[in-house]
Amino acid sequence: SGRVVVAVCRKAFIFDTETNELLHILEGHTGDILCCRFSKDGRRVVTASKDRTAKIWASMTGRLQLTLSGHTNRVTACDFSPDG
């Protein structure tokens, strides 16, 4: 089945595209999420936020794996490199 990730304000939501079932809510940003993407293998999601962080999540569990901080302004875009 396919999945889609959608960001609304400070949360991102992962849905199953065949059943429309909400699978996970990704919570932890303190500012609005401006961008979100799946990794090429679908195992991770990255979110970028006005709170000056990017976060990496396990897409199958919704668990936060890593917070990338230290940015001097909001993080407006995110993606994974082609090799992961």
Side-chain angles (χ1 to χ4, degrees):
S1 70
R3 293 176 296 158
V4 64
V5 60
V6 178
V8 179
C9 298
R10 296 177 180 181
K11 298 178 185 177
F13 304 86
I14 299 175
F15 290 93
D16 182 301
T17 58
E18 291 182 12
T19 65
N20 294 325
E21 178 186 0
L22 174 61
L23 301 174
H24 302 291
I25 300 173
L26 310 180
E27 297 182 80
H29 282 289
T30 59
D32 290 348
I33 296 172
L34 301 174
C35 184
C36 52
R37 300 254 194 268
F38 275 102
S39 61
K40 186 176 180 178
D41 63 9
R43 295 175 53 191
R44 292 169 294 169
V45 169
V46 61
T47 54
S49 171
K50 287 183 177 180
D51 67 7
R52 301 180 182 179
T53 68
K55 295 181 181 289
I56 298 175
W57 313 81
S59 67
M60 300 306 278
T61 64
R63 181 174 289 169
L64 178 64
Q65 294 184 318
L66 180 66
T67 298
L68 302 165
S69 58
H71 302 277
T72 59
N73 206 336
R74 61 185 170 183
V75 183
T76 59
C78 59
D79 209 344
F80 288 92
S81 66
D83 61 356

